[in-house]
Amino acid sequence: MSTERKPPRELATLLERWCEDRLDAADLTRLEQLVLTDDDALHQYVAYVQLHGSLFWDAALIGDPVSAEPSSSDVQNEPPPVILTTSLRERPTAARFLRHPAAVVLSACVLVGAALGLWATAQKGGPPDIAGARVADTDRSLPPATPIESPAVDVVRPVDEAFPQLTLDRPHVDRASSTIEPLGPIDVEPPAVAISDPPREEEDVVAAIDRLLAESWEANGVTPSPVASDAEWLRRVSLDLTGQIPTLDALEHFENNRDANKRANTIDEMLSGDEFAQYYTMVWANQLVGRSQRTAHERHALQRFLLAQFRQNRPWNETVSELIAAEGSAEENGAAGFLLAHLNNQAVPATAITARLLLGRQLQCTQCHKHPWNEWSQEQFWTLNAFFKQTRIERRDSIESSGQNPRTERVLVNTSVGGPTYYEDRRGVMQATYPEFEDATIDPGPETNRRRELASLLAAGADGQMARSFVNRCWARLFGYGFTNPVDDMGPHNPPSHPEVLERLTQEFIASGYDVHQLMRWVTSTRAYQLSSRMTEGNAVDDPAAGDPPLFSRMPVKTLTPGQVFDSLQVATWGKSRGTYAFDERRDQTEAWVGQFFEMLENEENGETSTFGESLTQALVMMNGPLVAGAVNPEPGTVIAHILSDRISDDERVRRLCRAALARNPTAEELSRFRRVLGQARAGRSDDPRAAVNDALRDVYWAYLNSSEFVTNR
Amino acid sequence: MPSTEQDPLSLSPPSDEFVQLFTRTQRRLYLTILSQVPRPDDAEEILQNANVVIWSKCRQFQSGTNFFAWAARIAALEVLKFRQRHARDRLQFSDEFVRTVVDRLEEESPQFDLRKKALTRCLTKLRSDDRKLIQLRYASGSRGKFVAESLGRPANSVYQSLGRIRRSLLECIERQLKSTPETV
């Protein structure tokens, strides 16, 4: 260990390519050559194996790296890692579920089933087995079959940006405070058609998209998958529009409904109910401000603003304008919560996030250097930035401040400063710049309210980019893939996969007055959205997970976000929609769960990256804790209690458990395996066979809830 | 794919000792497999296959003998089977390479624990953005290109960042090891 061991450049490149699975045949030959002829190279290879493997195994020692120190130095008998992260790792909480051997057997059964089912489904598109949802990526992520573990869940790649859902709340807020407009009206001119006009013929839009997609299928020689079953579709649309799985009752109702328009009606019900507004509030609040704990009350205020906007289905350009132009404190004006979180550091975060989230433009990189293929220049970043430079954050006594309870609050204040703003260019020279957006300049004088001007420019949407960006994001959320990849990097350097579809939807969305519900209705009514996720022989080449542009000839499989997992588990436990909860109650529950989960990940500053740090894996760790334990605990009022106490056969119980968790019937193989398990349980305890069977049924539910299928949206 | 299609219902429960040894050697087994495959992602699948076999043979393990050596032999067979199964669709390391690397890994394994501790310390020293990126890369069981997608960054820039961070972690680990008394 005494020699300096810095890998030579070539070796380092090869080792890096190995880590990222990018070795080609020539790389591999060269790597072997180096490693076999040079002792240092061999050492470096082993060091990389150890580094990459350890990071993977401990999932980069998520959270608190210090506490992850191993407690033993005996390598031979290394203790399990303290911080457990993915389904592949030892899971301490699993032990509590191993109440009797049946659980072990069930777990093993599901695990092997997982492997077989996954393979079979991937190969032939056969019926799904438990845990057999075809993962969007490859068949690589099967958990090791360690029967002492819970049936682990395959990790599917995150879809779109890793948006975690923060489930939210609307705690004792009155309508007035969330719609307050201290600024007076903003010049939002809904272009073309006012929102109150009768909607354009929906069939036209949907039929046009169907036609365009069908043309692309034909051009690419693929045949679309068959239409998804009612159950598959209902689970999908529930997760997509309300962030949760359907209840057992909703599923029965939907399947028994003979109305030919039942899918369209269901979409309408979901959009007009509170669930959609709540869910989209979570989605957007997370993207806009992340979940920084420091400014929780500002985030909550922003959520209240968004909730009001989505509930009333306010035009999207109005929402954006209010976010951009907001003044005052978050308490006065929830929309202020957005910029209060991002005005630090010369408003660079505000500029970058506005561009990325609301305009689908990646400007972060052009901030300091010329981007090789992004048409945005460094100067354009700073001309957009100049709109935000007039604004300061001040502190003042809160309007809720009282004698016993003095509080200060942060306030967005526009100052009367005009003239140029400055930035340092790549050569270190200070440059002066003036506000400019999409070739529109404004009066740079002190009297101009720059953010108001920007809000107007955005809302007027001269080139439709704000609408296009929103359409792309919504499509990506519903289909797992947007028209561009990444979804927020649009522009000539990154042409969309279906330019006509994107353009048609964008123009219709603008014409509808930025009607969010209408957009959702259009997209969820397309033929593509009705299709099964199952790969067929005719569309095996449509494999966006392999990196090809998606053709949408089948529904890509999406992974549930942590928020969806939580809400879905609540539905599976209590059998009622999350939208029926009082806001306070729902907020307390969710924040208690999601909160402890995110403490693990939260590091310091920066609202922008804190919106990324989430992944499903951590959710699963938590999920294997008390949450699932609660779901299989037959307390009065729970789904499991109903199923155990109803006068039905055990087969019917298994069927209902499967439907409650996965919205499908058990496969014949599952049924026969579970019958054997129940039979063994009954035989094993002659004193109280009913109790033994009930325990085994709880294990069945546990296995279904822990299957990879539960955390995927097909 | 598990290589055995044995009905799991027929498995008899293994002893506590077996479970303990099994759990404790998982990481090292994973590293051993990882060193033998050109596609790191395959290591998980092979480990899983090996685990199914190890578990099904729990009766064959003799208490008091070297569990890791026993398990590693099973794993080596699984690597071989995997290579045969994927002879066409995967790149393969040569036998000589695999032998050399596994031997060296074995030789250096007494250092693994120290290195892991050093890694833990080094992770705390990363700039927070770098640490977040590394966590994102590994926490999600993800890959660089998916991280790039989720961050909305070009894949190449993410690869570069990850490479830089991994190299700095390695350098940090080497520095840490040098400064510990054992190596002075």
Side-chain angles (χ1 to χ4, degrees):
Chain A
M1 289 290 133
S2 55
T3 51
E4 183 65 31
R5 277 173 162 150
K6 258 192 151 176
R9 198 170 174 76
E10 186 191 8
L11 178 64
T13 307
L14 291 171
L15 292 172
E16 271 304 318
R17 294 183 72 84
W18 173 78
C19 286
E20 296 298 338
D21 190 9
R22 298 168 67 218
L23 284 180
D24 62 23
D27 293 337
L28 185 126
T29 310
R30 183 66 185 145
L31 178 63
E32 286 206 347
Q33 209 174 26
L34 290 170
V35 167
L36 289 176
T37 54
D38 177 353
D39 194 61
D40 267 0
L42 177 56
H43 171 77
Q44 282 302 331
Y45 180 75
V46 170
Y48 254 84
V49 166
Q50 210 259 346
L51 174 73
H52 182 67
S54 294
L55 285 170
F56 174 82
W57 193 260
D58 295 322
L61 305 169
I62 290 303
D64 176 8
V66 179
S67 69
E69 291 267 353
S71 57
S72 155
S73 59
D74 182 355
V75 183
Q76 188 78 29
N77 291 319
E78 185 174 349
V82 179
I83 303 289
L84 295 159
T85 44
T86 85
S87 52
L88 296 173
R89 280 116 231 184
E90 300 87 333
R91 188 175 293 126
T93 46
R96 80 175 64 169
F97 297 102
L98 303 181
R99 294 191 302 271
H100 50 71
V104 177
V105 169
L106 273 178
S107 300
C109 147
V110 171
L111 276 163
V112 173
L116 295 171
L118 190 71
W119 184 256
T121 334
Q123 295 302 301
K124 303 178 214 103
D129 201 336
I130 250 195
R134 201 160 40 69
V135 287
D137 181 9
T138 64
D139 55 332
R140 73 188 168 83
S141 50
L142 286 173
T146 54
I148 50 163
E149 297 183 4
S150 61
V153 180
D154 309 323
V155 177
V156 190
R157 75 170 200 81
V159 174
D160 192 355
E161 306 178 42
F163 10 57
Q165 317 309 327
L166 167 58
T167 323
L168 13 119
D169 56 277
R170 188 163 172 276
H172 53 80
V173 176
D174 53 29
R175 171 77 53 201
S177 76
S178 53
T179 53
I180 215 167
E181 287 182 10
L183 308 179
I186 299 169
D187 296 334
V188 178
E189 189 77 33
V193 184
I195 196 162
S196 54
D197 282 4
R200 299 244 216 134
E201 281 294 303
E202 277 172 41
E203 285 67 28
D204 283 354
V205 181
V206 175
I209 298 167
D210 286 350
R211 177 178 51 78
L212 290 165
L213 285 177
E215 283 168 11
S216 92
W217 294 336
E218 197 172 344
N220 285 281
V222 300
T223 44
S225 289
V227 169
S229 72
D230 277 349
E232 187 179 354
W233 185 85
L234 183 68
R235 190 175 193 267
R236 171 190 305 165
V237 77
S238 300
L239 284 164
D240 285 343
L241 294 185
T242 71
Q244 57 190 323
I245 58 171
T247 62
L248 206 47
D249 289 346
L251 179 61
E252 300 279 334
H253 179 78
F254 187 72
E255 284 191 323
N256 294 333
N257 186 344
R258 303 248 167 254
D259 189 338
N261 286 325
K262 65 180 178 178
R263 290 196 180 189
N265 294 341
T266 300
I267 292 166
D268 281 343
E269 281 163 26
M270 287 178 172
L271 290 173
S272 57
D274 211 38
E275 277 100 339
F276 173 78
Q278 290 185 30
Y279 176 55
Y280 263 63
T281 297
M282 301 158 201
V283 165
W284 274 94
N286 275 326
Q287 303 201 51
L288 288 166
V289 297
R291 54 180 76 247
S292 159
Q293 291 303 311
R294 281 179 315 171
T295 54
H297 69 281
E298 288 169 3
R299 190 180 71 237
H300 292 167
L302 176 66
Q303 290 162 358
R304 291 193 290 272
F305 162 75
L306 291 170
L307 190 57
Q309 294 291 108
F310 283 122
R311 273 182 169 159
Q312 301 170 47
N313 193 28
R314 300 299 305 166
W316 178 245
N317 59 342
E318 175 191 292
T319 303
V320 170
S321 299
E322 299 216 9
L323 291 171
I324 297 294
E327 291 178 43
S329 71
E331 271 160 16
E332 292 169 332
N333 177 7
F338 171 53
L339 285 178
L340 281 170
H342 299 309
L343 272 183
N344 58 317
N345 185 17
Q346 300 293 306
V348 164
T351 314
I353 292 168
T354 298
R356 189 176 58 77
L357 268 185
L358 303 175
L359 295 168
R361 302 278 199 206
Q362 298 220 353
L363 295 191
Q364 315 71 310
C365 310
T366 60
Q367 172 200 342
C368 357
H369 57 87
K370 183 155 171 46
H371 213 279
W373 24 253
N374 192 325
E375 88 273 30
W376 280 68
S377 66
Q378 184 188 22
E379 196 191 344
Q380 274 172 299
F381 181 90
W382 295 105
T383 55
L384 179 60
N385 177 261
F387 284 98
F388 295 101
K389 285 281 188 61
Q390 214 179 24
T391 310
R392 285 213 321 263
I393 295 179
E394 290 180 357
R395 282 198 168 275
R396 68 167 189 214
D397 286 343
S398 164
I399 48 175
E400 288 182 0
S401 190
S402 65
Q404 300 94 335
N405 189 18
R407 278 178 59 193
T408 61
E409 60 183 5
R410 305 198 305 152
V411 188
L412 284 179
V413 178
N414 284 342
T415 57
S416 298
V417 179
T421 56
Y422 300 93
Y423 69 94
E424 198 180 315
D425 75 8
R426 275 164 281 149
R427 289 158 309 177
V429 180
M430 288 306 272
Q431 298 283 350
T433 190
Y434 291 93
E436 183 182 330
F437 178 72
E438 307 276 344
D439 298 329
T441 54
I442 59 165
D443 175 6
E447 299 309 314
T448 307
N449 181 332
R450 293 188 177 186
R451 286 190 293 127
R452 190 89 69 90
E453 294 295 328
L454 177 61
S456 300
L457 288 170
L458 282 172
D463 74 341
Q465 182 52 29
M466 188 182 71
R468 197 171 293 114
S469 162
F470 187 76
V471 166
N472 198 30
R473 269 180 190 283
C474 289
W475 186 281
R477 185 166 287 283
L478 292 168
F479 281 96
Y481 296 90
F483 298 110
T484 62
N485 181 12
V487 70
D488 52 13
D489 189 11
M490 304 175 82
H493 62 283
N494 191 15
S497 58
H498 296 77
E500 302 94 343
V501 179
L502 175 61
E503 221 36 51
R504 177 73 192 251
L505 273 174
T506 301
Q507 295 313 322
E508 296 284 351
F509 179 54
I510 293 172
S512 75
Y514 291 82
D515 183 340
V516 176
H517 284 187
Q518 185 61 273
L519 177 64
M520 292 294 153
R521 212 173 282 128
W522 282 329
V523 178
T524 50
S525 302
T526 57
R527 180 174 170 208
Y529 191 80
Q530 317 308 313
L531 299 180
S532 162
S533 60
R534 205 126 322 129
M535 186 192 287
T536 64
E537 269 180 39
N539 63 17
V541 294
D542 178 12
D543 191 7
D548 302 329
L551 296 171
F552 306 110
S553 69
R554 61 195 148 89
M555 176 55 75
V557 176
K558 301 182 290 259
T559 310
L560 266 51
T561 61
Q564 287 177 326
V565 170
F566 178 78
D567 280 338
S568 297
L569 276 172
Q570 292 297 319
V571 171
T573 307
W574 297 105
K576 53 179 180 172
S577 161
R578 298 289 289 155
T580 63
Y581 285 68
F583 287 118
D584 289 7
E585 188 186 355
R586 185 175 180 181
R587 163 215 184 98
D588 289 348
Q589 288 175 348
T590 310
E591 291 204 338
W593 188 77
V594 178
Q596 65 175 348
F597 161 46
F598 281 103
E599 260 169 19
M600 285 169 56
L601 294 174
E602 196 110 43
N603 294 345
E604 302 95 32
E605 77 281 288
N606 204 329
E608 190 187 342
T609 46
S610 73
T611 60
F612 299 135
E614 300 86 337
S615 78
L616 178 66
T617 337
Q618 284 78 28
L620 296 175
V621 174
M622 306 307 292
M623 175 177 154
N624 282 293
L627 207 56
V628 176
V632 301
N633 183 19
E635 257 183 66
T638 56
V639 171
I640 183 87
H642 275 297
I643 293 176
L644 293 183
S645 63
D646 277 0
R647 295 185 165 274
I648 47 178
S649 68
D650 282 335
D651 273 4
E652 174 63 14
R653 290 197 172 95
V654 170
R655 182 178 158 273
R656 287 198 193 170
L657 290 171
C658 184
R659 289 167 64 82
L662 305 177
R664 65 162 173 84
N665 290 325
T667 63
E669 193 193 349
E670 284 164 16
L671 210 50
S672 81
R673 279 176 189 274
F674 289 146
R675 269 185 203 140
R676 290 166 64 184
V677 170
L678 298 188
Q680 285 180 350
R682 196 176 291 114
R685 276 191 67 185
S686 50
D687 58 322
D688 191 351
R690 190 63 246 168
V693 169
N694 280 354
D695 271 357
L697 283 166
R698 291 166 59 195
D699 290 335
V700 168
Y701 202 32
W702 185 84
Y704 276 126
L705 292 174
N706 274 291
S707 67
S708 64
E709 195 176 337
F710 183 76
V711 292
T712 49
N713 178 2
R714 299 186 294 130
Chain B
M1 285 298 292
S3 54
T4 59
E5 301 206 359
Q6 193 168 3
D7 186 343
L9 293 174
S10 68
L11 300 180
S12 49
S15 67
D16 288 351
E17 184 203 5
F18 184 89
V19 174
Q20 205 173 28
L21 289 168
F22 177 87
T23 315
R24 285 181 176 178
T25 48
Q26 282 286 292
R27 171 199 294 268
R28 198 163 155 218
L29 208 54
Y30 171 73
L31 291 178
T32 303
I33 295 168
L34 181 65
S35 71
Q36 304 175 49
V37 288
R39 267 188 59 168
D41 286 347
D42 292 338
E44 282 172 72
E45 188 181 335
I46 300 172
L47 176 65
Q48 180 200 12
N49 297 346
N51 280 339
V52 170
V53 179
I54 292 171
W55 205 259
S56 71
K57 293 190 172 173
C58 66
R59 291 284 156 219
Q60 291 175 21
F61 171 69
Q62 293 177 342
S63 176
T65 62
N66 185 334
F67 182 89
F68 179 78
W70 178 73
R73 272 198 304 280
I74 292 174
L77 278 174
E78 287 304 318
V79 173
L80 218 63
K81 277 191 210 161
F82 186 90
R83 287 165 53 127
Q84 283 160 1
R85 213 166 35 239
H86 292 282
R88 294 222 181 101
D89 61 348
R90 294 279 207 285
L91 298 172
Q92 312 272 1
F93 283 132
S94 68
D95 293 346
E96 188 195 358
F97 180 87
V98 167
R99 259 197 319 277
T100 312
V101 163
V102 170
D103 285 353
R104 182 59 167 260
L105 200 71
E106 193 58 29
E107 213 176 286
E108 295 198 11
S109 66
Q111 283 240 323
F112 281 180
D113 204 38
L114 276 176
R115 293 185 72 91
K116 197 186 142 232
K117 280 184 178 163
L119 170 61
T120 308
R121 278 191 295 275
C122 293
L123 279 169
T124 64
K125 293 182 178 174
L126 286 180
R127 294 210 325 256
S128 81
D129 281 357
D130 286 352
R131 192 161 64 238
K132 280 178 192 158
L133 187 64
I134 278 283
Q135 286 177 346
L136 198 58
R137 162 66 178 81
Y138 288 99
S140 49
S142 184
R143 288 195 227 162
K145 69 173 172 186
F146 300 149
V147 172
E149 277 165 29
S150 73
L151 288 179
R153 283 177 53 184
N156 269 332
S157 94
V158 169
Y159 288 144
Q160 274 174 15
S161 302
L162 287 171
R164 172 180 55 75
I165 303 168
R166 275 190 289 249
R167 280 194 297 278
S168 75
L169 283 173
L170 274 182
E171 283 168 22
C172 171
I173 290 170
E174 300 286 353
R175 271 200 308 277
Q176 294 263 343
L177 288 181
K178 266 180 214 159
S179 64
T180 52
E182 294 98 307
T183 52
V184 170

